[in-house]
Amino acid sequence: MPIQSTSNKQYKKIVYMICLIGALGGLLFGLDQGFIANSLATIDHIYELTTTQGEHYSAVLAWGGILGALLSGIFARILGRKKVLILSGFLFTLLSLVSAFLPPLEILIACRFGLGFSVGIASFTVPLYLSETAPTSIRGGMATLFQLMITIGIFLIAFTNVMIVKALGHFEISLSLMFSVIVIFALIMFIGSFFLPESPRWLMLKGKEDKALKVLRRVRSSEKEINDEIAEIKESIIENQGSGIIMLSKGYFWKILIVGVVLQMFQQLVGINMMIYYAPTIFGYAGMTGIIALLAIPTVNMLFTFPAIKWIEKWGRKKLLYVGAVVMMVSMFTAGFAFLVIANGGTTPGAVPKAILLISAVVYIFGFACSWGPVAWVVCAEIFPLKGREIGMTVTTMINWTFAGIVMANALSFMKVYGNASIFFVFGGFCILSMVFLKFFVPETKGVSLEKIEKDLEHGVKLNKIGQR
């Protein structure tokens, strides 16, 4: 039976629906990640948490994320991309709703762990689904949209939480409303996922070519485009069958896997999640509780994700990571010294060190959002040979969540024991170590094909020389 092209109107309708659900997946990721920043004081007030308990509640999202990242590939392979999106939307909705009723602390913590699990599987499955389903012409835009919506989600929940507290104070109704914001968007994603088509690549993996063709008729604009994609999918399935296991027997794959692991480790050890999660708390230690102090970090994080999209191709990955590390190092050390001055200023520290602390934090976020935030993920996606990419991305994502949890679970306690300035010097030191690592072990992947990377790895080319002509 000949394949008929879909109408332009119908084509746009389904493509926009795919974009919307992808955007909601990223938005929910950001909402849950950014939730703590301006809600922790309210949670502490209602549940009477100690510093350690507050850190534990914050960090449990990461522990759930590790499990989600570990199982997401298995779920996506067995259940299909669409069913995993439905599952993720359901968990987001249910667990946020239960949290909104302010259950006992143990249940609230369990819900946050479950939300971390949902974030873990969504962060893997949504980009995978978009890359396999969206038309080639907008795939790059979809990847950018997902990352951008994460930062928008972080800003949105920070803003709404601040407004709720300013209007109602640190009371039970405020915390219920904070969780309800997540429930609304989660419910839209859950319901919307039922109307999405399944990934044509997954259908082909399961031998359902007829159903794959039906999906492609809805999301592609010509018979040639459909036939070409079917042929590409078939070739890819044959070439990559069992390839992940094979790659584990290759010594060069383990080398590049270690590079990816350390890169993601440094992405967290430069201190980003301390700033995303605890910036309002840290500013509060310095006597800064105004709107600017509460919203500066999520706002800058969102706005300066845009330049990275352009700079990553203009400057290259490695140079951008270098620049970001330098900016973050200077900012962290400056913030540390500002806190030392504030600590020596008694109960009424001057306005100058406070201003320096705030500016340093903003510059730090600028440095991260333009470099290590998006670029570390891009490099990890590019350094792995195609046949080992799924394993490489799963492992490096789990490492990212692990060190995110370590930072979240210990940052405030570290400051309490060693002084408020101490943590900034520690993270500044990790920025220096990250530059050393970049110099000796990280290749520049801009404009280098996956085939070139794999060939250089096989031939024993030094890691930092891979891809060079």
Side-chain angles (χ1 to χ4, degrees):
M1 184 178 71
I3 299 172
Q4 301 297 326
S5 296
T6 185
S7 71
N8 189 49
K9 183 177 180 181
Q10 187 181 12
Y11 169 80
K12 286 186 175 181
K13 182 179 178 181
I14 190 65
V15 169
Y16 290 152
M17 185 184 296
I18 290 170
C19 294
L20 174 62
I21 300 303
L24 286 174
L27 186 73
L28 287 166
F29 187 162
L31 290 174
D32 282 297
Q33 190 177 34
F35 181 79
I36 289 296
N38 289 301
S39 69
L40 187 57
T42 307
I43 296 170
D44 288 347
H45 176 79
I46 294 170
Y47 286 93
E48 299 180 344
L49 302 184
T50 64
T51 298
T52 301
Q53 287 175 320
E55 287 176 324
H56 176 63
Y57 177 71
S58 303
V60 78
L61 183 84
W63 311 138
I66 294 169
L67 182 62
L70 176 63
L71 298 178
S72 55
I74 299 172
F75 284 172
R77 208 173 273 264
I78 295 175
L79 300 176
R81 291 33 164 165
K82 177 180 176 177
K83 288 180 181 177
V84 174
L85 291 177
I86 292 172
L87 173 64
S88 180
F90 172 75
L91 291 175
F92 273 125
T93 305
L94 176 65
L95 297 171
S96 299
L97 185 61
V98 172
S99 299
F101 285 100
L102 307 186
L105 181 60
E106 294 77 14
I107 296 177
L108 191 72
I109 290 173
C111 286
R112 185 156 174 83
F113 179 88
L115 286 168
F117 177 79
S118 303
V119 167
I121 60 176
S123 62
F124 178 92
T125 308
V126 171
L128 178 67
Y129 174 80
L130 291 174
S131 69
E132 293 180 348
T133 309
T136 305
S137 59
I138 63 169
R139 280 179 188 166
M142 288 301 93
T144 301
L145 176 65
F146 182 75
Q147 294 297 323
L148 178 61
M149 290 305 291
I150 292 173
T151 63
I152 291 175
I154 292 172
F155 168 78
L156 178 63
I157 199 66
F159 178 79
T160 55
N161 285 356
V162 167
M163 294 300 106
I164 289 169
V165 169
K166 291 293 182 184
L168 301 174
H170 295 297
F171 297 106
E172 284 82 354
I173 189 172
S174 299
L175 190 55
S176 291
L177 288 173
M178 291 175 187
F179 281 114
S180 298
V181 172
I182 301 177
V183 173
I184 294 169
F185 290 103
L187 188 61
I188 295 172
M189 177 184 173
F190 174 56
I191 296 171
S193 295
F194 283 96
F195 297 94
L196 291 176
E198 181 53 90
S199 157
R201 190 179 192 281
W202 182 81
L203 291 170
M204 291 289 288
L205 277 169
K206 297 299 178 180
K208 300 177 181 180
E209 186 171 339
D210 289 344
K211 290 185 177 180
L213 285 168
K214 287 181 181 179
V215 172
L216 288 172
R217 289 189 190 110
R218 297 177 64 193
V219 297
R220 301 294 182 266
S221 57
S222 70
E223 182 175 345
K224 182 181 184 305
E225 189 178 1
I226 295 169
N227 289 332
D228 288 347
E229 186 151 347
I230 288 290
E232 287 175 5
I233 292 173
K234 285 180 177 179
E235 183 180 353
S236 175
I237 290 173
I238 293 171
E239 286 184 357
N240 292 292
Q241 194 167 16
S243 59
I245 302 299
I246 293 172
M247 291 306 294
L248 289 175
S249 66
K250 309 289 186 183
Y252 66 81
F253 178 72
W254 284 97
K255 281 185 182 179
I256 207 67
L257 181 62
I258 291 172
V259 170
V261 163
V262 177
L263 198 65
Q264 291 288 21
M265 180 185 78
F266 275 124
Q267 198 215 35
Q268 293 300 321
L269 290 180
V270 295
I272 183 58
N273 270 325
M274 179 189 73
M275 302 304 293
I276 293 295
Y277 280 74
Y278 300 133
T281 303
I282 292 169
F283 290 147
Y285 292 164
M288 302 161 63
T289 57
I291 291 290
I292 294 177
L294 295 175
L295 293 179
I297 298 303
T299 303
V300 174
N301 185 47
M302 176 182 65
L303 293 177
F304 285 101
T305 299
F306 290 98
I309 299 167
K310 179 180 179 181
W311 293 346
I312 195 170
E313 295 301 337
K314 183 178 180 180
W315 286 16
R317 286 64 161 145
K318 193 168 179 175
K319 184 182 291 186
L320 205 51
L321 290 172
Y322 267 127
V323 172
V326 171
V327 171
M328 291 188 295
M329 176 196 69
V330 173
S331 302
M332 279 293 182
F333 284 137
T334 303
F337 285 118
F339 243 125
L340 287 177
V341 174
I342 291 171
N344 293 326
T347 56
T348 55
V352 173
K354 287 183 179 181
I356 292 173
L357 175 61
L358 180 60
I359 293 169
S360 297
V362 168
V363 173
Y364 168 85
I365 291 295
F366 163 77
F368 183 87
C370 291
S371 61
W372 283 81
V375 178
W377 291 104
V378 171
V379 173
C380 281
E382 292 177 335
I383 59 176
F384 296 116
L386 184 60
K387 292 180 180 180
R389 186 182 295 176
E390 184 173 333
I391 290 178
M393 289 303 294
T394 298
V395 171
T396 53
T397 299
M398 289 175 62
I399 291 296
N400 187 281
W401 278 112
T402 299
F403 280 89
I406 291 171
V407 170
M408 285 183 269
N410 295 282
L412 296 182
S413 294
F414 190 93
M415 294 175 73
K416 191 173 183 180
V417 173
Y418 297 103
N420 292 334
S422 60
I423 195 73
F424 294 96
F425 295 122
V426 170
F427 289 136
F430 279 121
C431 290
I432 295 173
L433 291 177
S434 73
M435 288 185 274
V436 176
F437 174 71
L438 285 171
K439 177 174 177 59
F440 291 105
F441 299 105
V442 177
E444 174 56 73
T445 56
K446 174 190 172 185
V448 183
S449 69
L450 294 177
E451 291 75 18
K452 172 66 174 170
I453 290 173
E454 185 167 5
K455 185 177 179 181
D456 284 355
L457 283 169
E458 287 177 343
H459 291 167
V461 175
K462 284 186 176 182
L463 291 170
N464 62 344
K465 303 293 184 183
I466 286 173
Q468 295 184 12
R469 298 290 186 262

